[in-house]
């Protein structure tokens, strides 16, 4: 799982995992028109909206920077603003495959749903929290993991999020 490209983006200065100053959320939704959003995709979008709102509140209370790595280009950022609202976060559009790796390498904590980029952050030793909507690490991967683990939970709510973030 993941990409060999990750090997080209070394983590030069490993951050102290106890000192958190920012949180990066890796979005897995691509910008789409309302007519292209089927019921299953709407559930995925709604799940990310709940996570973004909870992370925004958490970052505000703890004075952390909150960043979102989008899965779409600059031209489609209005989709995310419509879905996530105008919050106290900075969204980074996809500008090339290297930008995502740069964002991850610069993060002290990464939150994701079912992103291979999130798993690549984990391999680098970056502190991660995952809320996979189907199963961990990725649906139909082959190996079945429990619904809850040391840094993941298939169930999401703010209490569970805070529990993992404060570990």
């Amino acid at each position: 799982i993941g990409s060999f490209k990750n090997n080209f983006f070394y983590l030069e200065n490993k951050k102290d995992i106890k000192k958190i100053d920012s949180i990066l959320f890796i979005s897995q939704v691509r910008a789409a028109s309302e007519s292209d959003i089927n019921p299953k995709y709407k559930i995925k979008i709604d799940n990310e909206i709940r996570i973004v709102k909870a992370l925004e509140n958490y970052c505000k209370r703890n004075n952390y920077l909150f960043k979102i790595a989008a899965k779409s280009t600059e031209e489609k950022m209005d989709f995310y603003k419509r879905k996530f609202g105008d919050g106290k976060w900075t969204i980074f559009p996809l500008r090339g495959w290297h930008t995502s790796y740069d964002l991850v390498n610069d993060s002290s904590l990464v939150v994701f749903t079912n992103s291979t980029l999130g798993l690549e952050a984990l391999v680098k030793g970056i502190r991660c929290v995952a809320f996979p909507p189907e199963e961990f690490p990725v649906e139909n991967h082959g190996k079945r993991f429990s619904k809850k683990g040391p840094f993941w939970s298939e169930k999401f709510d703010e209490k569970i999020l805070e529990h993992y973030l404060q570990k």
Side-chain angles (χ1 to χ4, degrees), residues 48-58 83-86:
E48 285 203 8
I49 290 169
R50 289 179 37 233
I51 293 170
V52 165
K53 296 293 182 199
L55 284 169
E56 182 180 12
N57 291 336
Y58 185 84
K83 296 300 178 188
F84 297 154
D86 285 326

Side-chain angles (χ1 to χ4, degrees), residues 20-167:
I20 305 298
D21 57 2
S22 67
I23 296 177
L24 173 68
F25 175 67
I26 300 172
S27 177
Q28 287 299 290
V29 296
R30 292 186 194 278
S33 66
E34 294 302 319
S35 61
D36 292 333
I37 299 174
N38 64 41
K40 187 174 181 180
Y41 200 61
K42 183 174 180 347
I43 291 169
K44 190 175 199 172
I45 292 168
D46 291 345
N47 185 47
E48 285 203 8
I49 290 169
R50 289 179 37 233
I51 293 170
V52 165
K53 296 293 182 199
L55 284 169
E56 182 180 12
N57 291 336
Y58 185 84
C59 288
K60 187 187 297 183
R61 282 194 315 271
N62 292 284
N63 203 26
Y64 295 160
L65 293 174
F66 180 32
K67 302 180 272 186
I68 300 172
K71 202 164 179 140
S72 296
T73 59
E74 181 82 47
E75 299 80 39
K76 299 183 178 179
M77 288 301 99
D78 62 319
F79 170 83
Y80 295 94
K81 290 179 181 163
R82 274 195 330 272
K83 296 300 178 188
F84 297 154
D86 285 326
K88 295 249 183 215
W89 39 263
T90 305
I91 192 159
F92 294 88
L94 187 62
R95 290 198 173 105
W97 55 272
H98 62 87
T99 57
S100 300
Y101 291 104
D102 292 340
L103 274 171
V104 165
N105 284 356
D106 195 39
S107 298
S108 49
L109 192 145
V110 173
V111 178
F112 61 97
T113 54
N114 55 351
S115 162
T116 56
L117 183 61
L119 295 172
E120 290 167 336
L122 184 65
V123 167
K124 291 179 177 195
I126 297 170
R127 189 169 164 208
C128 293
V129 176
F131 291 101
E134 297 94 13
E135 57 186 78
F136 182 80
V138 179
E139 188 176 30
N140 298 322
H141 176 338
K143 174 147 175 49
R144 299 280 307 184
F145 287 84
S146 65
K147 293 182 179 292
K148 186 171 117 179
F151 63 91
W152 76 88
S153 173
E154 290 179 23
K155 180 181 177 197
F156 174 81
D157 66 35
E158 285 198 47
K159 274 187 173 178
I160 295 170
L161 173 72
E162 291 203 24
H163 168 74
Y164 281 115
L165 294 178
Q166 293 173 353
K167 273 186 166 183

